[in-house]
Amino acid sequence: CDALIQLTGARYLDLDTVPTDTYEQDQFNSRGGITELLAHHVKRTKWKPSVFIQAANACIYPARYDF
């Protein structure tokens, strides 16, 4: 595999959501948890990617009602 690209993650800036501790943990898990899982499995594979790219979607797309 030449590259592993990870673009997952729950939507962060939603105007209808109050950021509680549980919400913040869910946000972390939606990015960090997947990254840890991928890294774990990459370590166990015979063929390693040359590059591992990760990006989150926060601040790329406007939140709802933000025009």
Side-chain angles (χ1 to χ4, degrees):
C1 158
D2 292 331
L4 176 58
I5 302 172
Q6 197 271 101
L7 302 174
T8 60
R11 182 183 175 108
Y12 188 70
L13 300 173
D14 192 346
L15 296 178
D16 297 331
T17 305
V18 176
T20 62
D21 289 341
T22 301
Y23 176 78
E24 293 297 325
Q25 187 62 48
D26 289 344
Q27 292 300 313
F28 175 80
N29 291 340
S30 76
R31 292 168 177 80
I34 295 297
T35 302
E36 288 179 19
L37 181 66
L38 287 171
H40 171 76
H41 285 288
V42 165
K43 283 184 196 178
R44 299 177 65 195
T45 64
K46 181 178 179 180
W47 305 106
K48 309 288 190 238
S50 334
V51 64
F52 185 177
I53 299 170
Q54 176 180 326
N57 66 353
C59 300
I60 294 174
Y61 302 102
R64 197 169 19 162
Y65 312 120
D66 183 13
F67 298 105

Coordinates of all heavy atoms in Angstrom, one line a residue:
C1 N 0.9 -1.2 0.0 CA 0.0 0.0 0.0 C 0.9 1.2 0.0 O 1.8 1.3 0.8 CB -0.9 -0.1 1.2 SG -1.6 1.4 1.9
D2 N 0.6 2.2 -0.9 CA 1.4 3.4 -0.9 C 1.1 4.4 0.1 O 2.0 5.1 0.7 CB 1.3 4.1 -2.3 CG 1.9 3.2 -3.4 OD1 2.9 2.5 -3.1 OD2 1.4 3.3 -4.5
A3 N -0.2 4.5 0.4 CA -0.6 5.5 1.4 C -1.9 5.1 2.2 O -2.7 4.3 1.6 CB -0.9 6.9 0.7
L4 N -2.0 5.5 3.4 CA -3.2 5.3 4.2 C -3.7 6.6 4.6 O -3.0 7.4 5.2 CB -2.8 4.4 5.4 CG -4.0 4.2 6.4 CD1 -5.2 3.5 5.7 CD2 -3.5 3.4 7.6
I5 N -4.9 7.0 4.1 CA -5.5 8.3 4.4 C -6.7 8.1 5.2 O -7.6 7.4 4.9 CB -5.8 9.0 3.0 CG1 -4.6 9.1 2.2 CG2 -6.5 10.3 3.3 CD1 -4.9 9.6 0.8
Q6 N -6.7 8.8 6.4 CA -7.8 8.7 7.3 C -8.5 10.0 7.4 O -7.9 11.0 7.9 CB -7.2 8.2 8.7 CG -8.2 7.7 9.7 CD -8.8 8.7 10.6 OE1 -9.9 9.1 10.3 NE2 -8.1 9.2 11.6
L7 N -9.8 10.1 7.0 CA -10.5 11.3 7.1 C -11.8 11.2 7.9 O -12.7 12.0 7.7 CB -10.9 11.7 5.6 CG -9.8 11.9 4.6 CD1 -10.3 12.1 3.2 CD2 -8.8 13.0 5.1
T8 N -11.8 10.3 8.9 CA -13.0 10.1 9.6 C -13.1 11.1 10.8 O -12.1 11.8 11.1 CB -13.1 8.7 10.2 OG1 -11.9 8.5 11.1 CG2 -13.1 7.7 9.2
G9 N -14.3 11.2 11.4 CA -14.5 12.0 12.5 C -15.9 12.6 12.6 O -16.4 12.9 11.5
A10 N -16.5 12.7 13.7 CA -17.8 13.2 13.9 C -17.8 14.7 13.6 O -16.8 15.4 13.9 CB -18.3 12.9 15.3
R11 N -18.9 15.2 13.2 CA -19.1 16.7 13.0 C -18.8 17.3 14.3 O -19.4 17.0 15.3 CB -20.4 17.0 12.4 CG -20.6 18.4 12.1 CD -22.0 18.7 11.6 NE -22.2 20.1 11.5 CZ -22.3 20.7 10.3 NH1 -22.3 20.0 9.2 NH2 -22.5 22.0 10.3
Y12 N -18.0 18.4 14.3 CA -17.7 19.0 15.6 C -18.5 20.2 15.9 O -19.1 20.4 17.0 CB -16.2 19.4 15.6 CG -15.7 19.8 17.0 CD1 -15.7 18.9 18.0 CD2 -15.4 21.1 17.2 CE1 -15.3 19.4 19.3 CE2 -15.0 21.6 18.5 CZ -14.9 20.7 19.5 OH -14.5 21.1 20.7
L13 N -18.6 21.2 15.1 CA -19.2 22.5 15.4 C -20.7 22.5 14.9 O -21.1 23.1 14.0 CB -18.4 23.6 14.6 CG -17.0 23.7 15.0 CD1 -16.3 24.7 14.2 CD2 -16.9 24.1 16.5
D14 N -21.5 21.8 15.7 CA -22.9 21.8 15.4 C -23.6 22.7 16.4 O -23.5 22.6 17.6 CB -23.5 20.3 15.6 CG -24.9 20.1 15.1 OD1 -25.5 21.2 14.8 OD2 -25.3 19.0 14.9
L15 N -24.4 23.7 15.9 CA -25.0 24.7 16.7 C -26.1 24.1 17.7 O -26.4 24.7 18.7 CB -25.7 25.7 15.9 CG -24.7 26.6 15.0 CD1 -25.5 27.6 14.2 CD2 -23.7 27.3 15.9
D16 N -26.6 22.9 17.4 CA -27.6 22.3 18.3 C -27.0 21.5 19.4 O -27.8 20.9 20.2 CB -28.5 21.4 17.4 CG -29.3 22.2 16.4 OD1 -29.6 23.4 16.6 OD2 -29.6 21.6 15.3
T17 N -25.7 21.4 19.5 CA -25.1 20.5 20.5 C -24.4 21.3 21.6 O -23.6 22.3 21.3 CB -24.1 19.6 19.8 OG1 -24.8 18.9 18.8 CG2 -23.5 18.6 20.8
V18 N -24.6 21.0 22.8 CA -23.9 21.6 23.9 C -22.7 20.7 24.2 O -22.8 19.5 24.4 CB -24.8 21.7 25.2 CG1 -24.0 22.3 26.4 CG2 -26.0 22.6 24.9
P19 N -21.4 21.3 24.2 CA -20.2 20.5 24.4 C -20.1 20.0 25.9 O -19.5 20.7 26.7 CB -19.1 21.4 24.0 CG -19.6 22.8 24.1 CD -21.1 22.7 23.9
T20 N -20.6 18.9 26.2 CA -20.4 18.3 27.5 C -19.1 17.4 27.5 O -18.5 17.2 26.5 CB -21.6 17.3 27.8 OG1 -21.6 16.3 26.9 CG2 -22.9 18.1 27.8
D21 N -18.7 16.9 28.7 CA -17.6 16.0 28.7 C -17.8 14.8 27.9 O -16.8 14.3 27.2 CB -17.3 15.6 30.2 CG -16.8 16.7 31.0 OD1 -16.3 17.7 30.4 OD2 -16.8 16.7 32.3
T22 N -19.0 14.2 27.9 CA -19.3 13.0 27.1 C -19.2 13.4 25.6 O -18.6 12.6 24.8 CB -20.7 12.5 27.4 OG1 -20.8 12.2 28.8 CG2 -21.0 11.3 26.6
Y23 N -19.7 14.5 25.2 CA -19.6 14.9 23.8 C -18.1 15.1 23.4 O -17.7 14.6 22.3 CB -20.3 16.3 23.6 CG -20.3 16.9 22.2 CD1 -21.0 16.4 21.2 CD2 -19.4 17.9 22.0 CE1 -21.0 16.9 19.9 CE2 -19.3 18.4 20.7 CZ -20.1 17.9 19.7 OH -20.0 18.5 18.4
E24 N -17.3 15.7 24.2 CA -15.9 15.9 23.9 C -15.2 14.6 23.8 O -14.4 14.4 22.9 CB -15.2 16.8 24.9 CG -15.7 18.2 24.9 CD -15.4 19.0 23.6 OE1 -14.4 18.7 23.0 OE2 -16.2 19.8 23.2
Q25 N -15.5 13.6 24.7 CA -14.9 12.3 24.6 C -15.4 11.6 23.3 O -14.5 10.9 22.7 CB -15.3 11.5 25.8 CG -14.6 10.1 25.9 CD -13.1 10.3 26.0 OE1 -12.6 11.1 26.8 NE2 -12.3 9.6 25.2
D26 N -16.6 11.7 22.9 CA -17.1 11.1 21.7 C -16.3 11.7 20.5 O -16.0 11.0 19.5 CB -18.6 11.3 21.5 CG -19.4 10.5 22.4 OD1 -18.9 9.5 23.0 OD2 -20.6 10.8 22.6
Q27 N -16.1 13.0 20.5 CA -15.3 13.7 19.4 C -13.9 13.1 19.4 O -13.4 12.8 18.3 CB -15.3 15.2 19.6 CG -16.6 15.9 19.5 CD -17.2 15.7 18.1 OE1 -16.5 15.8 17.1 NE2 -18.4 15.3 18.0
F28 N -13.3 13.0 20.5 CA -11.9 12.4 20.5 C -11.9 11.0 20.0 O -11.1 10.6 19.2 CB -11.4 12.4 22.0 CG -10.0 11.8 22.0 CD1 -8.9 12.4 21.6 CD2 -9.9 10.5 22.5 CE1 -7.7 11.8 21.7 CE2 -8.7 9.8 22.6 CZ -7.6 10.5 22.2
N29 N -12.9 10.2 20.5 CA -13.0 8.8 20.0 C -13.2 8.6 18.5 O -12.7 7.7 17.9 CB -14.0 8.0 20.8 CG -13.6 7.8 22.3 OD1 -12.5 7.9 22.6 ND2 -14.6 7.6 23.1
S30 N -14.0 9.6 18.0 CA -14.3 9.5 16.5 C -13.1 9.8 15.7 O -13.1 9.4 14.5 CB -15.4 10.5 16.2 OG -14.9 11.8 16.1
R31 N -12.0 10.4 16.2 CA -10.8 10.6 15.5 C -9.7 9.8 16.1 O -9.1 9.0 15.4 CB -10.5 12.1 15.6 CG -11.4 13.0 14.8 CD -11.2 14.4 15.1 NE -12.1 15.3 14.3 CZ -13.4 15.5 14.5 NH1 -13.9 14.9 15.6 NH2 -14.1 16.2 13.8
G32 N -9.4 10.0 17.3 CA -8.3 9.3 18.0 C -8.4 7.8 18.1 O -7.5 7.1 17.8
G33 N -9.6 7.4 18.4 CA -9.9 5.9 18.5 C -9.7 5.2 17.1 O -9.0 4.2 17.1
I34 N -10.1 5.8 16.1 CA -9.9 5.2 14.7 C -8.5 5.2 14.4 O -7.9 4.3 13.8 CB -10.8 6.0 13.7 CG1 -12.3 5.8 13.9 CG2 -10.4 5.5 12.3 CD1 -12.8 4.4 13.9
T35 N -7.8 6.3 14.7 CA -6.3 6.4 14.4 C -5.6 5.4 15.1 O -4.7 4.7 14.6 CB -5.8 7.8 14.7 OG1 -6.6 8.8 14.0 CG2 -4.3 8.0 14.4
E36 N -5.9 5.2 16.4 CA -5.2 4.1 17.2 C -5.5 2.7 16.6 O -4.6 1.9 16.5 CB -5.7 4.2 18.6 CG -5.1 5.4 19.4 CD -5.6 5.4 20.8 OE1 -6.1 4.4 21.3 OE2 -5.5 6.5 21.4
L37 N -6.7 2.5 16.2 CA -7.1 1.2 15.6 C -6.3 1.0 14.3 O -5.7 -0.1 14.1 CB -8.6 1.2 15.3 CG -9.1 -0.1 14.7 CD1 -9.0 -1.3 15.7 CD2 -10.6 0.1 14.3
L38 N -6.2 2.0 13.4 CA -5.5 1.9 12.2 C -4.0 1.6 12.5 O -3.4 0.8 11.8 CB -5.7 3.1 11.3 CG -7.0 3.2 10.7 CD1 -7.2 4.6 10.0 CD2 -7.2 2.2 9.6
A39 N -3.4 2.4 13.4 CA -2.0 2.2 13.7 C -1.7 0.8 14.2 O -0.7 0.2 13.9 CB -1.6 3.3 14.7
H40 N -2.6 0.3 15.1 CA -2.4 -1.0 15.6 C -2.4 -2.1 14.5 O -1.5 -2.9 14.5 CB -3.6 -1.3 16.6 CG -3.6 -2.7 17.0 ND1 -2.8 -3.2 18.0 CD2 -4.4 -3.7 16.7 CE1 -3.0 -4.5 18.2 NE2 -4.1 -4.8 17.4
H41 N -3.3 -1.9 13.5 CA -3.4 -2.9 12.5 C -2.3 -2.8 11.5 O -1.8 -3.7 10.9 CB -4.8 -2.9 11.8 CG -5.8 -3.5 12.6 ND1 -5.9 -4.9 12.9 CD2 -6.8 -3.0 13.4 CE1 -6.9 -5.2 13.7 NE2 -7.5 -4.0 14.0
V42 N -1.8 -1.5 11.2 CA -0.7 -1.3 10.3 C 0.5 -2.0 10.9 O 1.3 -2.6 10.1 CB -0.5 0.2 10.1 CG1 0.9 0.5 9.4 CG2 -1.6 0.7 9.2
K43 N 0.7 -1.9 12.2 CA 1.9 -2.5 12.8 C 1.9 -4.0 12.6 O 3.0 -4.6 12.5 CB 1.9 -2.3 14.3 CG 2.3 -1.0 14.8 CD 2.4 -0.9 16.3 CE 2.4 0.4 16.8 NZ 2.4 0.5 18.3
R44 N 0.7 -4.6 12.5 CA 0.6 -6.1 12.4 C 0.6 -6.6 10.9 O 0.7 -7.8 10.7 CB -0.7 -6.5 13.0 CG -0.7 -6.2 14.5 CD -2.0 -6.6 15.2 NE -2.1 -8.0 15.1 CZ -3.2 -8.7 15.4 NH1 -4.3 -8.0 15.6 NH2 -3.3 -10.0 15.3
T45 N 0.6 -5.7 9.9 CA 0.6 -6.1 8.5 C 2.0 -6.3 8.0 O 2.9 -5.7 8.5 CB -0.2 -5.1 7.7 OG1 0.6 -3.9 7.7 CG2 -1.6 -4.9 8.1
K46 N 2.1 -7.1 7.0 CA 3.4 -7.3 6.3 C 3.7 -6.1 5.5 O 4.9 -5.7 5.4 CB 3.3 -8.6 5.4 CG 4.6 -8.9 4.7 CD 4.4 -10.2 3.9 CE 5.7 -10.5 3.2 NZ 5.6 -11.7 2.4
W47 N 2.8 -5.5 4.8 CA 3.0 -4.4 3.9 C 2.6 -3.1 4.6 O 1.5 -2.9 4.9 CB 2.2 -4.6 2.6 CG 2.5 -5.9 1.9 CD1 1.7 -6.9 1.8 CD2 3.7 -6.2 1.2 NE1 2.3 -8.0 1.2 CE2 3.6 -7.6 0.8 CE3 4.9 -5.6 1.0 CZ2 4.6 -8.2 0.1 CZ3 5.9 -6.2 0.3 CH2 5.7 -7.6 -0.2
K48 N 3.6 -2.2 4.8 CA 3.4 -1.0 5.5 C 3.2 0.2 4.4 O 3.8 0.2 3.4 CB 4.6 -0.6 6.3 CG 5.0 -1.7 7.3 CD 4.1 -1.9 8.4 CE 4.7 -2.8 9.4 NZ 3.9 -4.0 9.7
P49 N 2.3 1.1 4.7 CA 2.1 2.3 3.9 C 3.4 3.2 3.9 O 4.0 3.3 5.0 CB 0.9 3.0 4.4 CG 0.8 2.5 5.8 CD 1.4 1.2 5.9
S50 N 3.7 3.8 2.8 CA 4.8 4.8 2.8 C 4.5 6.0 3.6 O 5.4 6.7 4.2 CB 5.2 5.2 1.4 OG 4.9 4.3 0.5
V51 N 3.2 6.3 3.6 CA 2.8 7.6 4.3 C 1.4 7.3 5.0 O 0.6 6.6 4.4 CB 2.7 8.8 3.3 CG1 1.7 8.6 2.3 CG2 2.5 10.1 4.1
F52 N 1.2 7.9 6.1 CA -0.1 7.9 6.8 C -0.6 9.3 7.0 O 0.0 10.1 7.7 CB 0.1 7.2 8.2 CG -1.1 6.9 9.0 CD1 -1.0 6.2 10.2 CD2 -2.4 7.3 8.6 CE1 -2.1 5.9 11.0 CE2 -3.5 7.0 9.3 CZ -3.4 6.3 10.5
I53 N -1.7 9.6 6.3 CA -2.2 11.0 6.4 C -3.5 11.0 7.1 O -4.4 10.2 6.9 CB -2.5 11.5 4.9 CG1 -1.2 11.6 4.2 CG2 -3.1 12.9 5.0 CD1 -1.3 11.8 2.7
Q54 N -3.6 12.0 8.0 CA -4.9 12.1 8.8 C -5.3 13.5 8.8 O -4.5 14.4 9.0 CB -4.6 11.6 10.3 CG -5.8 11.8 11.2 CD -5.5 11.4 12.6 OE1 -4.8 10.4 12.8 NE2 -6.1 12.1 13.5
A55 N -6.6 13.7 8.7 CA -7.2 15.1 8.7 C -8.6 15.0 9.3 O -9.3 14.0 9.2 CB -7.3 15.7 7.3
A56 N -8.9 16.1 10.0 CA -10.3 16.2 10.6 C -11.0 17.3 9.8 O -10.5 18.1 9.1 CB -10.1 16.6 12.0
N57 N -12.4 17.2 9.9 CA -13.2 18.1 9.1 C -13.5 19.4 9.8 O -14.2 20.3 9.3 CB -14.5 17.4 8.7 CG -15.3 17.1 9.9 OD1 -15.0 17.2 11.0 ND2 -16.5 16.5 9.6
A58 N -13.1 19.6 11.0 CA -13.5 20.9 11.8 C -13.0 22.1 11.0 O -11.9 22.2 10.6 CB -12.9 20.8 13.2
C59 N -13.9 23.0 10.9 CA -13.6 24.3 10.3 C -13.4 24.3 8.8 O -13.0 25.3 8.2 CB -12.4 25.0 10.9 SG -12.6 25.3 12.7
I60 N -13.6 23.1 8.1 CA -13.5 23.1 6.7 C -14.9 23.5 6.1 O -15.0 24.3 5.2 CB -13.1 21.7 6.2 CG1 -11.7 21.4 6.6 CG2 -13.2 21.6 4.7 CD1 -11.2 20.0 6.3
Y61 N -16.0 22.9 6.6 CA -17.3 23.2 6.2 C -18.0 24.1 7.2 O -17.8 23.9 8.4 CB -18.1 22.0 6.0 CG -17.4 21.0 5.0 CD1 -16.7 19.9 5.4 CD2 -17.5 21.3 3.6 CE1 -16.1 19.1 4.5 CE2 -16.9 20.4 2.7 CZ -16.2 19.3 3.2 OH -15.6 18.5 2.3
P62 N -18.8 25.1 6.8 CA -19.5 25.9 7.8 C -20.5 25.1 8.5 O -21.1 24.2 8.0 CB -20.1 27.0 6.9 CG -20.2 26.4 5.6 CD -19.1 25.5 5.4
A63 N -20.7 25.5 9.8 CA -21.8 24.9 10.6 C -23.1 25.3 10.0 O -23.2 26.3 9.3 CB -21.6 25.3 12.1
R64 N -24.1 24.5 10.3 CA -25.5 24.9 9.9 C -25.8 26.3 10.3 O -25.5 26.7 11.4 CB -26.4 23.9 10.5 CG -27.8 23.8 9.8 CD -28.6 22.7 10.2 NE -28.1 22.1 11.5 CZ -28.9 21.3 12.2 NH1 -30.1 21.0 11.8 NH2 -28.5 20.8 13.4
Y65 N -26.6 27.0 9.5 CA -27.0 28.4 9.7 C -25.9 29.4 9.6 O -26.1 30.5 10.0 CB -27.7 28.5 11.1 CG -28.8 27.5 11.3 CD1 -28.7 26.7 12.4 CD2 -29.9 27.3 10.5 CE1 -29.6 25.7 12.7 CE2 -30.8 26.3 10.7 CZ -30.7 25.5 11.8 OH -31.6 24.6 12.1
D66 N -24.7 29.0 9.3 CA -23.6 29.9 9.2 C -23.4 30.2 7.7 O -22.6 29.6 7.0 CB -22.3 29.3 9.8 CG -21.2 30.2 9.7 OD1 -21.4 31.4 9.5 OD2 -20.1 29.7 10.0
F67 N -24.1 31.2 7.2 CA -23.9 31.6 5.8 C -23.3 32.9 5.6 O -23.4 33.8 6.3 CB -25.3 31.6 5.1 CG -26.0 30.3 5.1 CD1 -27.0 30.0 6.0 CD2 -25.6 29.2 4.3 CE1 -27.7 28.8 6.1 CE2 -26.2 28.0 4.3 CZ -27.3 27.8 5.2

